[in-house]
Amino acid sequence: MSTVTATATGKQQVRLRSEREKRFYEWLGKLPAYLIVIALVIAWTVPTLGLFVSSFRPAFAIQTSGWWTALFEAFDAEWTLANYIQVIDADRMGLAFYNSLMITIPATVIPITIAAFAGYALAWMDFPGRTVIFVLVVGLMVVPLQMSLIPILRIYTDAGLTGTYLGMWLAHTGFGLPLATYLLYGYISSIPKEITESAHADGATPMMSFTRLILPLSVPAIASFAIFQFLWVWNDLLVALVFLGTASRNVIVTTRLAELVGSRGQAWHVLTAGGFVSIVVPLIVFFSLQRFFVRGMMAGSVKG
Amino acid sequence: MIEQVRNSRLAEIFAWTPLRIGVSLVVPVVTFLVLNWSFQFMRAAAAPRAVIAVVALVVGVGGVWALFLAMNQLVSQFPIRARDTLLPYVFVGPALVVLMVYIILPAVRTVSLSFMGRRGEEFIGLGNYVFALTDPGMIITLRNTGLWLLLVPAVAVTFGLLIAVIADRMSEFWERIAKSFIFMPMAISFVGASIIWRFIYFYQPAGFEQIGLLNAIWTYFGGDPIGWLTWRPWNNLFLIWIMIWMQTGFAMVILSAAVKGVPSALLDAARIDGAGEIRVFFNVIIPYVSGTILTVTTTILILVLKIFDVVFVMTSGQYQTGVVAFRMYQEAFIFRHFGRGSALATILFLAVLPIMIRNMKEMRARR
């Protein structure tokens, strides 16, 4: 980059004898800045690394020596999968993982479906109340979900929906819907109108042009929101604590993990392995779908 | 083509009116019955788990589609004029119902409950709000919340901007790597993050091997081990740091996009005029991205306001670390005081109300 040498004074530039020397000074000028970033990257990564390394160490070793000592003698240290076997089986993390999946997948698909239909209607159908509904959706995006918990819990208790998959799907649908509708509306309304108009001229019903044209064209927006909602539901603790509870067959990874902290707060071999089980899905999503992920996070950060 | 032929044959059959009405009634009813039956089925614990899994996924994913298609089917039987009037509401209706049931009506109910007593039966006026603003425990809670609201956005945005600007000068490869690692905590749950940091902050009395990283470093330099999470009021800072750790990546990604948008002509002009890199940063880059800084700050503020999980897992609100959203959960679902819980939720809502109104006005103007 030429900009860095521009900061060096003219005299110094004259003294530069070769391209190589010049490049060295460029590099030296950038060094402090690079060191800051490297220090931050290390500081940001080490905590997760500690969890990961510890989860493969025997319980006794974790309690008696720091996890970093095992790194320095990686070939002599003892490594084990016993923590994972224990946490998945005896500590019911396996069941929790299964329940998390059963809740998260429909709780991602349902709001997307409802929001896509609504986004289509708001974008391209003309009906009274359209603007009001849209402005309402925008406003509801930032309403804290704490505003819904108590009344919904009362309804759920009467209707027998507490502790059910269905109750969780619908709750997450409700809380995710304003954002989903807003995002999908934004995307759908940017699709050129000619596309559906010509389909309409060929005799397509609104339902046909929605399923055959709009949905396939909206895949990028749907993917971004899907990743955001999937992680949001997977990582949620509050909604699960209130509506699902911690009865043994209802546990999901977050509630189970929080419970383990309460009951076995010093058992680091269990907590580190359990912690890693809970973050492995988000990490896979993060590293494999990073571009969609970043877009979804950016778009979804305003959720209520 | 085939599609059209099939449709026209179907249309002929459906032209027979009694059948038409019959079908239009039967389709939604059958859909509803099947869904209802499957929910009953899932509630019965006897079925093998694999079967429940398949049914749950089919019902969860397919059920909502079935409802839309059935309603569309129903409306399509009407004369064309009626169909065109009703169809938008078929498309937008379910969303409206869900928003009504899960957000709007509960919000109204929560506000009214906030003026009621413990069980939500008798009217007590502003009592819950008086509690929320004057109770000694609540005053500490409010102080902590203020600390969170101040520190998390300020530090996360500062770090985020710093990394965004510096990484912008790195080669594309290293920029991507650096940003990935800083951004990664965004993917992790608050619960997972809390476990990670509980381990870092772990305390053993002096004389024992320190297995928590922070105390290991601290004692290595000669300090006595400290119980970071019980050391009030500073323990709040250690909880706040977890949130900073998670949010810096978010601030960085958004600000990075803005920093890349600063015209290079502007930067070069400043440098030719003799501005050093630090002056360029403060006098050119920051003013240029100030709008984005405001957006990121607002977004993080809204998130911090609702922070619950970190406090729940790290300290359960003990050692004077409570925040409003945590106290809301505690009052409502541990102490079962619905009045106080509702008042605390309403306070959170009032805090975001100005942002909500501003967003709605902006959207209205844009339409």
Side-chain angles (χ1 to χ4, degrees), chain A residues 3 44 54 64 98 102 110 128 147-148 154 156 169-170 182 185 202 206 235 266 282 290 293 301 303-304, chain B residues 4 39 49 53 56 60 87 89 102 110 119 180 183 187 189 199 202 209 211 216 245 253 271 299 306 363 367:
Chain A
T3 51
W44 251 242
S54 297
T64 50
Y98 164 83
M102 297 310 285
I110 298 172
M147 286 298 275
S148 301
R154 292 179 146 197
Y156 271 23
W169 298 341
L170 293 176
Y182 175 72
Y185 161 82
D202 288 346
N235 287 340
Q266 317 270 320
Q290 201 167 14
F293 176 86
S301 53
K303 183 170 190 249
Chain B
Q4 276 172 353
F39 291 137
R49 190 178 294 163
L87 203 56
Y89 297 101
Y102 277 89
T110 296
R119 305 222 163 277
S180 281
F183 195 64
S189 66
F199 195 36
F202 189 63
E209 185 76 20
I211 58 168
W245 180 69
V253 167
R271 284 173 187 138
T299 307
K306 293 174 304 184
M363 278 304 148
R367 288 284 291 219

Side-chain angles (χ1 to χ4, degrees), chain A residues 36-155:
Chain A
I36 294 176
V37 168
I38 291 168
L40 282 173
V41 166
I42 291 173
W44 251 242
T45 315
V46 161
T48 317
L49 184 71
L51 181 89
F52 183 67
V53 170
S54 297
S55 69
F56 294 105
R57 300 182 72 208
F60 177 76
I62 299 182
Q63 299 291 357
T64 50
S65 62
W67 57 268
W68 50 92
T69 58
L71 276 191
F72 294 132
E73 46 198 58
F75 296 103
D76 299 330
E78 201 184 329
W79 303 103
T80 173
L81 284 173
N83 303 336
Y84 283 95
I85 294 167
Q86 179 183 349
V87 84
I88 287 170
D89 193 25
D91 283 308
R92 300 207 313 282
M93 209 57 178
L95 173 67
F97 195 90
Y98 164 83
N99 278 337
S100 275
L101 273 183
M102 297 310 285
I103 286 168
T104 310
I105 294 170
T108 305
V109 177
I110 298 172
I112 288 176
T113 308
I114 296 179
F117 275 103
Y120 175 80
L122 288 173
W124 283 352
M125 288 171 156
D126 208 11
F127 58 96
R130 190 177 143 189
T131 308
V132 175
I133 292 172
F134 179 69
V135 172
L136 189 74
V137 165
V138 169
L140 294 181
M141 271 197 300
V142 293
V143 174
L145 67 84
Q146 276 87 355
M147 286 298 275
S148 301
L149 295 179
I150 295 173
I152 300 285
L153 180 64
R154 292 179 146 197
I155 297 172

Side-chain angles (χ1 to χ4, degrees), chain B residues 16-35:
Chain B
W16 190 49
T17 313
L19 182 66
R20 208 193 232 187
I21 294 171
V23 167
S24 59
L25 287 176
V26 163
V27 170
V29 168
V30 167
T31 313
F32 179 78
L33 285 179
V34 169
L35 287 181

